[in-house]
Short mmCIF file of all heavy atoms in Angstrom, two decimals:
data_model
loop_
_atom_site.label_atom_id
_atom_site.label_comp_id
_atom_site.label_asym_id
_atom_site.label_seq_id
_atom_site.Cartn_x
_atom_site.Cartn_y
_atom_site.Cartn_z
N ASN A 21 16.53 -9.32 9.35
CA ASN A 21 15.36 -8.46 9.06
C ASN A 21 14.84 -8.60 7.60
O ASN A 21 13.77 -8.06 7.34
CB ASN A 21 15.72 -7.02 9.36
CG ASN A 21 16.04 -6.77 10.81
OD1 ASN A 21 15.60 -7.52 11.60
ND2 ASN A 21 16.79 -5.73 11.04
N THR A 22 15.58 -9.20 6.69
CA THR A 22 15.14 -9.23 5.33
C THR A 22 14.70 -10.63 4.95
O THR A 22 15.48 -11.63 5.02
CB THR A 22 16.32 -8.82 4.38
OG1 THR A 22 16.83 -7.55 4.83
CG2 THR A 22 15.87 -8.73 2.97
N THR A 29 -0.62 -20.41 -4.38
CA THR A 29 -2.07 -20.32 -4.68
C THR A 29 -2.50 -21.54 -5.48
O THR A 29 -1.68 -22.26 -6.02
CB THR A 29 -2.39 -19.07 -5.49
OG1 THR A 29 -1.66 -19.11 -6.73
CG2 THR A 29 -2.01 -17.78 -4.73
N GLY A 30 -3.78 -21.79 -5.55
CA GLY A 30 -4.29 -22.93 -6.28
C GLY A 30 -4.86 -23.97 -5.28
O GLY A 30 -4.90 -23.74 -4.09
N GLN A 34 -6.21 -27.74 -9.62
CA GLN A 34 -5.53 -26.83 -10.58
C GLN A 34 -4.05 -26.69 -10.22
O GLN A 34 -3.64 -27.00 -9.12
CB GLN A 34 -6.16 -25.45 -10.59
CG GLN A 34 -6.14 -24.79 -9.22
CD GLN A 34 -6.86 -23.47 -9.19
OE1 GLN A 34 -6.48 -22.59 -8.44
NE2 GLN A 34 -7.96 -23.34 -9.97
N CYS A 38 3.46 -20.11 -7.48
CA CYS A 38 4.22 -19.60 -6.32
C CYS A 38 4.48 -18.10 -6.50
O CYS A 38 4.88 -17.70 -7.64
CB CYS A 38 5.53 -20.33 -6.16
SG CYS A 38 5.28 -22.05 -5.66
N HIS A 39 4.35 -17.33 -5.46
CA HIS A 39 4.53 -15.93 -5.52
C HIS A 39 5.51 -15.43 -4.43
O HIS A 39 5.14 -15.52 -3.22
CB HIS A 39 3.17 -15.21 -5.29
CG HIS A 39 2.10 -15.55 -6.22
ND1 HIS A 39 1.99 -15.06 -7.46
CD2 HIS A 39 1.19 -16.57 -6.17
CE1 HIS A 39 0.93 -15.58 -8.09
NE2 HIS A 39 0.41 -16.55 -7.29
N PRO A 40 6.71 -15.03 -4.76
CA PRO A 40 7.66 -14.53 -3.79
C PRO A 40 7.41 -13.01 -3.48
O PRO A 40 7.24 -12.24 -4.43
CB PRO A 40 9.02 -14.75 -4.42
CG PRO A 40 8.72 -14.79 -5.89
CD PRO A 40 7.34 -15.18 -6.09
N GLU A 45 11.41 -7.17 8.41
CA GLU A 45 10.84 -7.49 9.76
C GLU A 45 11.06 -6.26 10.63
O GLU A 45 12.18 -5.76 10.79
CB GLU A 45 11.45 -8.71 10.33
CG GLU A 45 10.83 -9.12 11.64
CD GLU A 45 11.36 -10.43 12.04
OE1 GLU A 45 12.15 -11.16 11.38
OE2 GLU A 45 10.95 -10.86 13.21
N ASN A 48 8.03 -6.27 17.21
CA ASN A 48 6.79 -6.85 17.65
C ASN A 48 6.16 -7.77 16.58
O ASN A 48 4.93 -7.71 16.36
CB ASN A 48 5.77 -5.70 18.00
CG ASN A 48 6.34 -4.86 19.15
OD1 ASN A 48 7.01 -5.33 20.02
ND2 ASN A 48 6.05 -3.59 19.10
N GLN A 64 6.76 -28.12 -13.63
CA GLN A 64 5.48 -28.01 -12.99
C GLN A 64 5.62 -27.81 -11.47
O GLN A 64 6.29 -28.63 -10.83
CB GLN A 64 4.66 -29.23 -13.30
CG GLN A 64 3.21 -29.08 -12.74
CD GLN A 64 2.33 -30.25 -13.12
OE1 GLN A 64 2.82 -31.19 -13.83
NE2 GLN A 64 1.14 -30.26 -12.58
N LEU A 69 14.24 -17.97 -8.31
CA LEU A 69 14.22 -16.48 -8.34
C LEU A 69 15.59 -16.00 -7.96
O LEU A 69 16.19 -16.40 -6.95
CB LEU A 69 13.21 -15.93 -7.27
CG LEU A 69 13.25 -14.43 -7.16
CD1 LEU A 69 12.66 -13.82 -8.41
CD2 LEU A 69 12.48 -14.06 -5.90
N SER A 76 16.72 -18.21 -4.82
CA SER A 76 15.71 -18.79 -3.95
C SER A 76 14.91 -19.77 -4.79
O SER A 76 14.59 -19.45 -5.92
CB SER A 76 14.85 -17.67 -3.25
OG SER A 76 13.96 -18.31 -2.35
N PHE A 77 14.56 -20.88 -4.24
CA PHE A 77 13.81 -21.91 -4.95
C PHE A 77 12.58 -22.25 -4.13
O PHE A 77 12.62 -22.31 -2.92
CB PHE A 77 14.63 -23.16 -5.11
CG PHE A 77 15.95 -22.94 -5.83
CD1 PHE A 77 17.17 -22.85 -5.11
CD2 PHE A 77 16.01 -22.86 -7.18
CE1 PHE A 77 18.34 -22.68 -5.74
CE2 PHE A 77 17.23 -22.64 -7.84
CZ PHE A 77 18.37 -22.53 -7.13
N CYS A 84 9.84 -34.07 -7.19
CA CYS A 84 11.19 -33.47 -7.00
C CYS A 84 11.72 -33.90 -5.58
O CYS A 84 11.04 -33.59 -4.59
CB CYS A 84 11.20 -31.95 -7.08
SG CYS A 84 12.81 -31.29 -6.88
N ASP A 90 25.33 -26.25 -8.33
CA ASP A 90 26.78 -26.15 -8.67
C ASP A 90 27.13 -24.64 -8.61
O ASP A 90 26.71 -23.91 -9.50
CB ASP A 90 27.12 -26.76 -10.04
CG ASP A 90 28.62 -26.69 -10.42
OD1 ASP A 90 29.38 -26.20 -9.59
OD2 ASP A 90 28.87 -27.06 -11.57
N THR A 101 12.47 -32.07 1.55
CA THR A 101 11.92 -32.89 2.65
C THR A 101 10.42 -32.70 2.84
O THR A 101 9.80 -33.48 3.58
CB THR A 101 12.64 -32.53 3.93
OG1 THR A 101 12.53 -31.14 4.19
CG2 THR A 101 14.09 -32.95 3.86
N GLU A 115 24.99 -23.67 -12.23
CA GLU A 115 23.89 -24.54 -12.71
C GLU A 115 23.07 -25.06 -11.53
O GLU A 115 23.61 -25.23 -10.42
CB GLU A 115 24.51 -25.77 -13.43
CG GLU A 115 23.51 -26.76 -13.99
CD GLU A 115 24.14 -27.90 -14.70
OE1 GLU A 115 25.00 -28.53 -14.14
OE2 GLU A 115 23.70 -28.17 -15.88
N TYR A 116 21.82 -25.28 -11.74
CA TYR A 116 21.05 -25.90 -10.69
C TYR A 116 20.02 -26.84 -11.43
O TYR A 116 19.54 -26.56 -12.57
CB TYR A 116 20.24 -24.96 -9.82
CG TYR A 116 19.41 -23.92 -10.52
CD1 TYR A 116 18.10 -24.26 -10.82
CD2 TYR A 116 19.89 -22.66 -10.84
CE1 TYR A 116 17.28 -23.35 -11.52
CE2 TYR A 116 19.08 -21.73 -11.60
CZ TYR A 116 17.79 -22.07 -11.83
OH TYR A 116 17.00 -21.18 -12.50
N PHE A 118 16.74 -29.84 -10.78
CA PHE A 118 15.73 -30.50 -9.91
C PHE A 118 15.65 -31.97 -10.28
O PHE A 118 15.41 -32.29 -11.45
CB PHE A 118 14.39 -29.80 -10.07
CG PHE A 118 14.58 -28.27 -9.77
CD1 PHE A 118 14.73 -27.36 -10.83
CD2 PHE A 118 14.48 -27.86 -8.48
CE1 PHE A 118 14.87 -26.01 -10.56
CE2 PHE A 118 14.63 -26.48 -8.23
CZ PHE A 118 14.79 -25.57 -9.26
N ASP A 120 14.40 -36.13 -9.68
CA ASP A 120 13.43 -37.07 -9.11
C ASP A 120 14.16 -38.09 -8.25
O ASP A 120 15.37 -38.05 -8.05
CB ASP A 120 12.61 -37.69 -10.21
CG ASP A 120 13.39 -38.68 -11.10
OD1 ASP A 120 14.59 -39.05 -10.79
OD2 ASP A 120 12.86 -39.02 -12.19
N ASN A 122 15.10 -41.00 -8.79
CA ASN A 122 16.13 -41.77 -9.45
C ASN A 122 17.31 -40.94 -9.93
O ASN A 122 18.18 -41.43 -10.63
CB ASN A 122 15.51 -42.50 -10.69
CG ASN A 122 14.49 -43.51 -10.25
OD1 ASN A 122 14.67 -44.25 -9.31
ND2 ASN A 122 13.31 -43.49 -10.93
#
Side-chain angles (χ1 to χ4, degrees):
N21 297 337
T22 306
T29 59
Q34 60 186 211
C38 293
H39 305 275
E45 187 172 355
N48 302 323
Q64 185 175 358
L69 177 70
S76 183
F77 304 99
C84 182
D90 180 3
T101 56
E115 179 180 52
Y116 56 87
F118 303 95
D120 66 15
N122 297 317

